Amino acid sequence: MFRRLHKDSETLTITIDDVAMTLPAGSTVAAALLASGNMVCRKTPVSGADRAPYCLMGVCFDCLVEINGEPNQQACMVVVRPGMAVKRMPRPAPVAP
Amino acid sequence: MSEPIDLAIIGAGPAGMAAAALAAGHGLDVVVYDENQAPGGQIYRGFEAVAADRAADLDFLGDSYRAGLAIAHAFRASRARYQPSTSVWLIQKDRTIGISHAGRARMVEARRILIATGAMERPVPIPGWTLPGVMTVGAAQTALKAAGLVPRGPVVLGGKGPLLYQLAAQYLGAGVTIAAILETGARPLAALPHLVQAWWRTDYLEKGLALLRQIKNAGVTIIKNVSGLRAIGDGKLDAVEYRCGGTVQRIAAPLLLLHEGVIANVQLTMAIPAAHRWDEAQRCWHPVVDEYGDTDLEGIAVAGDGAGIGGAEAAASMGRLAALAAVHALGKISDGEFREIGYDLQRERRRYLAGRPFLDALYPPPAVAAALADDTLVCRCEEVSAGEIRRAVALGCTGPNQTKSFTRAGMGPCQGRMCGLTVAEVIADRLDRPMAEVGYYRIRPPIKPLTVGELAGLE
Amino acid sequence: MIERDILVLGGGLVGAAIGYGLQKRGLRIAVLDEGDVAHRASRGNFGLVWVQSKGDGFPPYADWARHAADVWPDFCTELEQRVGFKIGYQKRGGFSLCFSEKDFAARANLIKRMHNQQGPKGYDCEMMERARVEKMMPAIGPDVVGASFCPHDGHVNPLLLLRALHTALGVDYFNEHRASAIRARRGGFEVDAGAAVFAAGRVVLAAGLGNLPLARMLGAELPIRPQRGQILVTERLPAFLDFPMSGVRQTVEGTVMLGSSREEVGYDNSIKTDVLKTITRNAVRAFPLLARARILRAWGALRVLAPDEHPIYQTLGDHAHAIVATCHSGVSLAGAHSETFAGYLAQGGLPAHFAPFHSRRFDVQAAA
């Protein structure tokens, strides 16, 4: 969906859903998703619809992902670190009525 | 809790950075809390990285971005302590502040607090706006500034306002294909009376006209007076539909960027709560502040777009004014110095604000409520539609707090940031009441993500 | 002038439930409510439908709470059918966790006392050792030594309950009609509310803390006070908890509510971080997985308490047709208010066995 304007000097590698991805140091996790070819970050708890980053400034809370086992992190507010494991989040198991 | 800080500043955009530099220069102990990992706020986002690694990008990022560098460098050179990646989740009237950094929460105290949390884009719902492939213009610009990312395929821009044209020009500079700009009702005639005042800001006008010329010369399709914007797709955006001149058109596109201007981000001031007033011209809530940014709460001030949209330069001026008031209140300058420096800063700020009424009139906030289809989602988090809000109104709800408890609109992770204005507009439209009377959500802390574990281990 | 048989002053859970019950019985009613911003314990509460600790030392309330829990399922089914949506009610029983042997012994003592008090009526609450508790709630933390369990306990989404009651009331619900004056007149009362004047043979004061000024309009003083409780709610979590307890419950939406403090601070409904810290510490001790959950909101709400914390039901001084219903437990008692209390009113008035709920019980205590 998005491409990079530059070849960056300093890069690092993370995984998104266990797929390795190399990107510039200083990128946010949301930027990594945008550049990954699949912007989707999670399914909503209410309808199970796909969501992707929307505002990239920390106000919409749409870009929630699991980072290193911690669920519901704002991808646009977290800077990538080497070896970071990012996972798209499934719809949470609903409470039985 | 340790010794109180003289001046705690929340946010490191133009207002926060300028305030910090001035206050620290007058000997105050200043701490700047910034949820971002580097200073700059939204407008000067990533300026240090860009200047260091991608200086060539400055060509298309434009002069106003370059202008921010001076403010930013002064801030970095000052003695103000900068705390990046640190969110403020609570401010109480006694000026205790709840902060969170690296998974640990603690409370700090400040003699003065300056809230400089800036603006956010006005959330304007359209059908399909939750589809992957629909983002805001501001988001796209952030991706460009912070990460050098541009869209691969053709992109459609929908809405209006200076930021939209700025991004279009930046994209053209970076070689991005713009399929169309769908402009939703700019009103040049309504703006004309404000032109005289705006004349003091000829740089503004020239800049704007130059942008538009650049976009037109590049051959970009600009369609004016568009309505009925709709994002279409199954699981992701495939096409953008719009109405123009009585006919419905469709453009295939993988990416739609929306923008309807910016509004003050009042989440923090609402949560304390400070007093707010409804601003009819900008159609949003603003904290009630005096000319130094002081709110109705002792020792708590707001500067920058968070106190009312005025742009980056006015924000920096107001940041300095608020810092000056703090410096004066804490006895670092005399009454005479306060008046003298304050006078100059006020004049500077008025000059910067001169173009604002023109822009407000040229790009009026859209009156969305009446035209909103019943099945359009207004609350993205809890997926609540306009129709559900209307049904709650039919039940007797007269304000957004009642509709919140009945529909869950505003109860999700964004805490109402994305739906608050729309929900109130829908209620106001249904009951034919002014927005000031309908009111806003009662915003509850923590206003930034905080885990149960962090709070349990609060220091 | 809008004329009705009975006016219910207060559109929170107590007033709306009574109004709904009266309406079902064919009475012409109006429920008068305040606007968007009000104290509204109904919007700030925890959502338990609770029996196990209610009425210690006051059998009439223990009976009433149990009766309320017994009628809740049918009340709920009928209400949901009427309005066409679910309100998140579950009745699988509820816990109160113990974190030390001392805790456990104290709780066991209370449960035994309640058993003795309620005798053959069947109190049904029991103490459980840790192993049994863990079987029912695998997510409990290592510090939990045991719990009391009561099969009659349950929980509900109080906001949806309120919405359902307002939906059922329909045109008889008047928002933004705060009662500003009550005048006794021959054969009943006149009430100024908003721009309108209502008249009725009887009035029910069911306005929570708002009952204080309302009662004064009729020359009476009620012994009730606000007590702050702070509550937090998390983001939606995957289902992990099948039972509610005092302090933690997972709602049908998946969010988890944590609470609740008891603070005597008058009408101050602000939050205090030291109290929230205590609440969250206890929550993490109960369910360690909660440590990672993000908090979405924290708020303070005001309970409506009599000196002994039990409800007050009575007529008001000389006004035999002004009925007071004031309690802290608008959720727990919603079914009883609608199905039973409203029935009493429809049949003429409070029954003799409700005499113990009169606030004159405090005069007796003071004299003794």
Side-chain angles (χ1 to χ4, degrees):
Chain A
M1 187 68 64
F2 282 76
R3 64 180 166 88
R4 293 193 180 288
L5 286 172
H6 307 274
K7 285 269 174 264
D8 296 272
S9 45
E10 198 188 332
T11 59
L12 54 80
T13 301
I14 65 166
T15 60
I16 299 181
D17 289 340
D18 301 319
V19 177
M21 181 177 176
T22 300
L23 65 164
S27 299
T28 62
V29 173
L33 281 166
L34 294 186
S36 75
N38 176 6
M39 297 165 61
V40 172
C41 56
R42 66 179 176 116
K43 291 192 185 296
T44 61
V46 180
S47 73
D50 281 346
R51 282 291 164 87
Y54 183 73
C55 80
L56 288 192
M57 61 170 287
V59 296
C60 78
F61 289 76
D62 261 324
C63 65
L64 303 176
V65 288
E66 183 188 302
I67 300 176
N68 293 339
E70 289 289 314
N72 291 328
Q73 305 291 306
Q74 284 180 282
C76 71
M77 303 302 287
V78 178
V79 177
V80 292
R81 302 262 175 259
M84 195 177 251
V86 177
K87 284 201 159 61
R88 297 185 172 88
M89 293 198 305
R91 184 182 188 182
V95 172
Chain B
M1 226 171 337
S2 48
E3 187 59 8
I5 301 156
D6 284 343
L7 175 62
I9 298 176
I10 296 103
M17 290 192 297
L22 187 142
H26 281 89
L28 292 194
D29 170 35
V30 180
V31 180
V32 177
Y33 299 105
D34 184 9
E35 64 176 346
N36 295 301
Q37 57 278 0
Q42 301 308 328
I43 183 125
Y44 305 136
R45 184 182 276 277
F47 71 91
E48 286 170 326
V50 169
D53 307 331
R54 301 186 259 127
D57 288 6
L58 285 172
D59 291 344
F60 61 77
L61 286 173
D63 291 340
S64 55
Y65 188 78
R66 211 190 290 264
L69 294 181
I71 300 172
H73 291 316
F75 166 63
R76 278 300 205 184
S78 77
R79 296 167 61 93
R81 287 181 282 157
Y82 177 59
Q83 311 237 308
S85 304
T86 305
S87 59
V88 169
W89 48 270
L90 173 72
I91 292 182
Q92 294 190 303
K93 288 179 183 178
D94 62 3
R95 294 189 301 285
T96 53
I97 305 172
I99 63 173
S100 165
H101 172 72
R104 293 179 80 91
R106 64 190 174 94
M107 302 298 293
V108 294
E109 272 185 288
R111 296 194 170 87
R112 308 274 302 188
I113 294 175
L114 176 60
I115 297 168
T117 48
M120 55 180 269
E121 290 176 277
R122 177 187 300 277
V124 176
I126 63 167
W129 70 317
T130 52
L131 283 173
V134 182
M135 296 172 72
T136 70
V137 163
Q141 200 183 42
T142 295
L144 176 63
K145 287 176 189 169
L149 284 176
V150 294
R152 261 180 221 289
V155 53
V156 174
L157 276 57
K160 58 176 172 290
L163 193 66
L164 187 147
Y165 303 109
Q166 196 185 42
L167 180 76
Q170 289 167 341
Y171 270 0
L172 292 172
V176 174
T177 308
I178 298 175
I181 295 177
L182 306 176
E183 194 183 82
T184 53
R187 298 173 59 197
L189 284 179
L192 268 183
H194 301 281
L195 198 56
V196 178
Q197 192 192 353
W199 188 248
W200 296 101
R201 293 302 313 273
T202 48
D203 56 327
Y204 238 79
L205 301 177
E206 279 166 18
K207 216 157 59 184
L209 290 172
L211 276 180
L212 289 175
R213 242 190 338 265
Q214 188 189 346
I215 295 163
K216 278 180 187 148
N217 289 347
V220 174
T221 309
I222 302 179
I223 298 164
K224 290 187 184 292
N225 290 316
V226 161
S227 61
L229 213 53
R230 176 185 284 269
I232 293 173
D234 184 14
K236 64 172 180 48
L237 182 75
D238 294 322
V240 181
E241 197 177 272
Y242 62 96
R243 209 175 314 117
C244 185
T247 62
V248 174
Q249 311 280 339
R250 193 179 272 214
I251 310 173
L255 187 64
L256 168 64
L257 302 175
L258 298 171
H259 184 71
E260 286 287 355
V262 295
I263 56 173
N265 184 350
V266 291
Q267 204 76 3
L268 197 43
T269 46
M270 283 273 189
I272 307 174
H276 287 70
R277 67 183 173 83
W278 174 252
D279 185 320
E280 188 57 37
Q282 297 187 346
R283 284 200 81 73
C284 62
W285 291 92
H286 290 152
V288 177
V289 294
D290 68 12
E291 55 185 351
Y292 290 95
D294 280 324
T295 65
D296 61 321
L297 306 173
E298 178 70 32
I300 301 179
V302 187
D305 278 355
I309 303 304
E313 295 153 312
S317 288
M318 194 164 170
R320 289 189 192 101
L321 277 163
L324 190 72
V327 168
H328 179 240
L330 296 177
K332 300 284 186 187
I333 54 173
S334 69
D335 293 354
E337 286 171 295
F338 177 51
R339 271 195 304 273
E340 196 178 319
I341 309 172
Y343 179 80
D344 290 343
L345 285 173
Q346 292 289 5
R347 222 173 44 171
E348 175 188 272
R349 174 160 179 264
R350 276 195 296 274
R351 200 170 64 236
Y352 287 139
L353 283 175
R356 188 48 51 175
F358 174 75
L359 286 178
D360 288 343
L362 180 61
Y363 302 117
V368 288
L372 216 48
D374 268 345
D375 58 357
T376 301
L377 294 185
V378 294
C379 169
R380 297 171 63 95
C381 299
E382 293 292 325
E383 300 183 58
V384 181
S385 68
E388 285 170 77
I389 302 297
R390 290 184 181 126
R391 276 194 290 282
V393 173
L395 265 184
C397 293
T398 55
N401 294 296
Q402 290 176 332
T403 58
K404 178 178 170 182
S405 70
F406 278 9
T407 67
R408 294 190 59 81
M411 281 194 177
C414 93
Q415 300 173 312
R417 288 166 172 90
M418 299 303 285
C419 67
L421 279 184
T422 313
V423 165
E425 295 262 14
V426 169
I427 298 169
D429 171 64
R430 266 294 137 121
L431 299 176
D432 197 18
R433 288 189 189 182
M435 285 288 279
E437 206 175 291
V438 170
Y440 197 71
Y441 291 139
R442 175 80 175 82
I443 303 298
R444 307 290 190 176
I447 67 133
K448 285 286 166 180
L450 181 77
T451 63
V452 174
E454 271 181 281
L455 189 49
L458 183 67
E459 292 161 26
Chain C
M1 182 91 76
I2 302 169
E3 301 216 16
R4 299 291 161 104
D5 298 326
I6 302 188
L7 296 176
V8 181
L9 310 185
L13 285 172
V14 177
I18 294 171
Y20 166 65
L22 292 170
Q23 188 196 52
K24 279 202 299 184
R25 286 166 177 80
L27 280 94
R28 297 179 309 134
I29 59 132
V31 173
L32 311 184
D33 202 0
E34 287 190 72
D36 192 53
V37 177
H39 279 303
R40 294 212 180 271
S42 298
R43 241 162 39 192
N45 70 55
F46 199 74
L48 297 177
V49 179
W50 217 237
V51 176
Q52 63 172 279
S53 51
K54 287 193 191 294
D56 180 19
F58 191 61
Y61 184 34
D63 295 344
W64 184 233
R66 172 61 191 280
H67 169 74
D70 289 346
V71 300
W72 237 105
D74 287 344
F75 157 74
C76 178
T77 305
E78 188 192 334
L79 181 61
E80 286 181 340
Q81 273 168 4
R82 188 176 287 231
V83 300
F85 58 88
K86 296 275 184 191
I87 61 174
Y89 173 62
Q90 291 178 343
K91 186 177 184 179
R92 298 177 189 148
F95 284 93
S96 178
L97 299 182
C98 305
F99 292 95
S100 67
E101 294 303 335
K102 199 175 146 215
D103 257 11
F104 191 85
R107 190 73 193 174
N109 208 7
L110 167 77
I111 299 305
K112 192 173 168 196
R113 198 162 64 233
M114 292 285 290
H115 264 292
N116 293 340
Q117 176 186 299
Q118 294 308 101
K121 287 178 281 194
Y123 170 60
D124 296 340
C125 190
E126 59 173 324
M127 294 305 291
M128 284 188 185
E129 299 293 336
R130 181 189 162 88
R132 282 181 70 196
V133 179
E134 196 172 8
K135 237 180 222 144
M136 295 168 80
M137 299 189 293
I140 56 166
D143 290 355
V144 176
V145 302
S148 60
F149 176 79
C150 175
H152 305 296
D153 289 339
H155 62 152
V156 67
N157 180 327
L159 302 175
L160 288 178
L161 169 60
L162 187 63
R163 177 175 184 164
L165 291 170
H166 284 185
T167 305
L169 285 169
V171 295
D172 292 335
Y173 171 73
F174 293 80
N175 196 16
E176 292 185 332
H177 281 74
R178 191 175 67 85
S180 52
I182 309 175
R183 289 176 297 277
R185 51 156 213 195
R186 214 162 62 84
F189 301 89
E190 274 180 19
V191 175
D192 297 340
V197 180
F198 293 80
R202 289 187 283 172
V203 291
V204 180
L205 276 56
L209 292 165
N211 272 358
L212 279 170
L214 290 176
R216 280 181 201 133
M217 291 174 198
L218 293 171
E221 204 56 43
L222 288 174
I224 54 174
R225 69 174 197 278
Q227 183 193 59
R228 183 170 69 195
Q230 297 185 51
I231 294 177
L232 307 95
V233 65
T234 72
E235 63 196 350
R236 293 175 188 250
L237 303 183
F240 77 96
L241 183 57
D242 290 336
F243 301 90
M245 62 212 66
S246 46
V248 184
R249 73 180 189 95
Q250 184 168 30
T251 70
V252 282
E253 291 83 20
T255 63
V256 179
M257 296 187 73
L258 310 176
S260 168
S261 57
R262 293 175 159 273
E263 303 161 80
E264 304 297 336
V265 290
Y267 284 85
D268 174 3
N269 66 357
S270 63
I271 59 161
K272 291 285 169 279
T273 48
D274 53 343
V275 176
L276 297 178
K277 184 176 170 173
T278 306
I279 292 172
T280 47
R281 280 175 96 115
N282 290 338
V284 171
R285 225 173 149 201
F287 299 101
L289 62 79
L290 285 175
R292 283 160 49 168
R294 261 139 296 274
I295 302 159
L296 285 189
R297 287 181 297 284
W299 66 89
L302 302 177
R303 292 188 189 87
V304 185
L305 285 189
D308 61 4
E309 308 196 353
H310 307 315
I312 293 173
Y313 301 110
Q314 64 177 79
T315 55
L316 209 53
D318 304 334
H319 304 285
H321 296 298
I323 301 108
V324 172
T326 276
C327 68
H328 150 50
S329 304
V331 180
S332 293
L333 300 178
H337 284 152
S338 154
E339 304 309 304
T340 313
F341 189 81
Y344 295 148
L345 297 189
Q347 286 156 21
L350 298 178
H353 74 272
F354 258 53
F357 287 112
H358 198 289
S359 65
R360 71 169 72 93
R361 68 184 187 260
F362 305 113
D363 306 337
V364 173
Q365 279 168 4

